Amino acid sequence: MTGLVNNIQKYSVHDGGGIRTVVFFQGCPLRCRWCSNPTTQEHKPELLYHADKCFSCGHCAEICPQRAVTREGEAVIFDRALCDGCGLCAKECPGKALQIAGVERNTADVLGDIKKDMAFYRNSGGGVTLSGGEALMQKDFALELMRRCREHGIRIALETNGVHRKETYDAVMPYVDLFLYDYKATDPEVHKAYVGCDNRRILENLRYLHDSGARVLVRCPIIPGVNDNQVHFDAIAQLTVQLPKLVGAEILPYHKLGVSKAKRIDSEYQEFEMVDASVSDGWKRYIQSKGGRLVNVE
């Protein structure tokens, strides 16, 4: 079985406990304005342009079969509506300024990359994490990869935004050791404005996974000016109280990792303020004062 893989990151220590290999799937149904991986949003190959590596030689414009690349003086212009992600320009770019995100790979190939780090998993209690994008956008591919990992005794964490049908979560639950579950905003209208949908199904699915006995860590990105408020912090605390079998909640202060990535695909990106540790520590102390169970991944 094949699927679109954006990247495979080795030796990760922040996505599920122990030393992990993170497989980033291509495609996501949401459009979070602060997305740290905007190059994974489209469920198709995406052309990335690293302007700092470009020689302005014009070779990409000469060879593009779709005529999706043109030059205006020293500038290189991409018509992304015409680009079909064939990757010819990336293969022949002398400066390696072009790259294709979202490569079709089969499960055996991806599993081969994962198995190279088996010794690290055994010694650290790590494993593989399926991320994205949203891995469950490619449910069948993700399921097959999970099954193959299980055959080799590899522990599995799954990062999900919680928007799928319960039947999808039923299908993957037997294979997932830890769900890394996004909780982005409490106010449904704020959630809709900044993410693209309200949060009703996300909250329903969180309670469903909890009541079904799944091991779940709630991950909460905190975005200044959007959800850094008492109402949201109270709701995070209440979730960990009302759902006592949750591993807990993890607070993730906003960072600007997505800014440079968005530029590589000519995508609009809204920047927010980054706060220092004293501010984010204050958020955590407040949530804990309300009974919230905050944890790091273990």
Side-chain angles (χ1 to χ4, degrees):
M1 186 173 292
T2 62
L4 283 176
V5 176
N6 179 278
N7 186 32
I8 296 180
Q9 178 181 307
K10 300 298 191 77
Y11 210 88
S12 173
V13 294
H14 300 293
D15 297 289
I19 297 172
R20 312 192 71 81
T21 299
V22 184
V23 181
F24 293 91
F25 285 57
Q26 192 74 17
C28 183
L30 303 184
R31 291 296 180 269
C32 303
R33 295 195 192 179
W34 54 82
C35 179
S36 60
N37 289 312
T39 61
T40 65
Q41 289 182 351
E42 295 296 331
H43 189 205
K44 65 179 182 180
E46 191 90 75
L47 180 66
L48 278 59
Y49 174 51
H50 300 258
D52 57 323
K53 298 180 180 180
C54 181
F55 297 157
S56 297
C57 65
H59 185 54
C60 52
E62 294 170 357
I63 65 172
C64 178
Q66 303 300 326
R67 298 292 183 264
V69 190
T70 56
R71 290 184 67 191
E72 292 184 7
E74 294 297 306
V76 181
I77 308 298
F78 299 93
D79 186 333
R80 295 184 177 276
L82 292 178
C83 177
D84 64 0
C86 72
L88 179 61
C89 60
K91 290 177 183 177
E92 297 205 14
C93 177
K96 306 300 181 185
L98 298 173
Q99 175 188 354
I100 293 294
V103 177
E104 188 169 334
R105 300 183 63 176
N106 63 49
T107 48
D109 181 34
V110 176
L111 182 66
D113 274 353
I114 293 169
K115 286 171 59 182
K116 292 175 183 177
D117 293 331
M118 290 283 285
F120 293 118
Y121 310 151
R122 285 194 295 267
N123 293 332
S124 70
V128 64
T129 299
L130 307 188
S131 185
E134 168 64 35
L136 294 182
M137 282 277 287
Q138 302 182 64
K139 183 190 75 172
D140 293 340
F141 178 60
L143 263 174
E144 177 64 16
L145 185 58
M146 290 182 197
R147 293 189 188 106
R148 299 291 297 275
C149 286
R150 277 293 197 196
E151 291 171 2
H152 294 276
I154 300 171
R155 294 174 62 83
I156 299 164
L158 174 68
E159 186 169 10
T160 182
N161 53 34
V163 301
H164 303 280
R165 295 176 182 271
K166 288 184 173 63
E167 291 83 356
T168 297
Y169 290 107
D170 284 336
V172 301
M173 221 182 301
Y175 303 98
V176 177
D177 298 288
L178 176 66
F179 286 90
L180 303 173
Y181 198 97
D182 294 346
Y183 180 57
K184 304 175 192 293
T186 297
D187 186 311
E189 293 304 315
V190 171
H191 200 283
K192 188 172 183 178
Y194 285 91
V195 176
C197 68
D198 66 31
N199 56 6
R200 178 183 56 82
R201 176 177 282 185
I202 293 167
L203 286 168
E204 288 177 356
N205 283 334
L206 175 58
R207 291 184 170 87
Y208 180 70
L209 287 172
H210 172 271
D211 294 345
S212 298
R215 188 165 178 257
V216 184
L217 172 66
V218 178
R219 303 182 102 180
C220 307
I222 305 301
I223 318 301
V226 177
N227 62 0
D228 60 333
N229 55 65
Q230 181 178 330
V231 171
H232 186 50
F233 294 154
D234 286 347
I236 293 171
Q238 281 302 302
L239 277 177
T240 68
V241 172
Q242 295 169 2
L243 306 178
K245 291 182 287 186
L246 290 178
V247 174
E250 183 180 19
I251 301 304
L252 303 173
Y254 168 75
H255 55 72
K256 297 187 179 184
L257 288 178
V259 175
S260 61
K261 297 177 184 179
K263 289 179 180 176
R264 295 170 193 162
I265 56 173
D266 301 322
S267 177
E268 292 184 6
Y269 188 89
Q270 182 174 350
E271 287 191 49
F272 298 88
E273 177 189 359
M274 288 183 62
V275 301
D276 59 35
S278 63
V279 175
S280 59
D281 287 345
W283 298 340
K284 296 172 186 178
R285 286 194 298 271
Y286 177 83
I287 294 169
Q288 289 173 319
S289 75
K290 297 297 181 178
R293 290 184 292 110
L294 299 186
V295 297
N296 294 317
V297 181
E298 297 179 353

